[in-house]
Amino acid sequence: MRVLIDGLDLSGKTTLATRLTEVLREQGRRPIHHRGFLSPRNPLARPLETVKAPDHPTSSMLNMAYLAGCVLDRTLLGARSWEERGLLVQESYVDRCLAYGYANGPWPPARLALRKPGMFIGFDLAIYLSAPLPVRRERLRRRVEANSVDRLSVLSGKFHDDFMTALAMAGRRHRRVLTFDTSRYTTEQIVQEVVRCLDEVPRQKAVQ
């Protein structure tokens, strides 16, 4: 089974993914917490994830090499392998990348990819996180190691709205999508809802 946790920066993705993994292990499941776009076994992962493009954080990533990497991901993160190995908790994937490209432009590669999100691997359950602009600005102020992407995400309410619109478009390929405002729900409340939903997911192939 594959679970995706994605959304705006400063919305609590890492906190939720870490806590969900802990709870699932306490329940005797076999979760694997993976962070980032590409499978760690993908030979294109390291060179692509180290690309630096501070002004345009998405444009350099959505290229043919990255799409080729996604083809490999469809094999390495395939439904059959995860049915055998356990439960994948994937923190951040192409959804976030496409949303940035759409909100920070919109850049043509992101717009084109959002028309056919099925080219990217689908998940049994996707959890999209957000939080109001003032809340995320305060979180940014407290963050010790903020990067250009963090700062970009709190520039305007329009960026927030465009980002969430793009997430909804990218989310069409997932079997089920849940969206949470982390200023209204605690991590524990979200974890409880996610675990309940996982128990309801039929044991069959995810969207490919």
Side-chain angles (χ1 to χ4, degrees), residues 53-157:
D55 295 329
H56 309 298
T58 303
S59 58
S60 64
M61 303 172 77
L62 285 173
N63 50 36
M64 291 307 295
Y66 226 137
L67 294 180
C70 288
V71 171
L72 291 176
D73 258 10
R74 291 176 70 88
T75 300
L76 297 175
L77 296 179
R80 179 176 300 176
S81 66
W82 286 103
E83 287 173 357
E84 297 170 353
R85 296 175 59 191
L87 193 156
L88 171 67
V89 177
Q90 172 72 33
E91 177 192 343
S92 298
Y93 196 59
V94 69
D95 305 59
R96 174 174 177 270
C97 186
L98 294 176
Y100 268 113
Y102 184 83
N104 188 33
W107 306 116
R111 293 170 60 185
L112 290 173
L114 284 169
R115 293 180 182 178
K116 294 187 178 296
M119 74 175 74
F120 303 103
I121 198 166
F123 287 75
D124 297 285
L125 178 63
I127 300 101
Y128 290 152
L129 302 182
S130 68
L133 188 58
V135 173
R136 291 187 298 110
R137 282 178 174 167
E138 176 60 23
R139 292 174 181 174
L140 176 63
R141 188 185 66 81
R142 300 196 304 265
R143 178 164 289 187
V144 177
E145 297 182 357
N147 57 36
S148 60
V149 176
D150 294 329
R151 290 188 287 271
L152 175 65
S153 73
V154 298
L155 285 180
S156 68

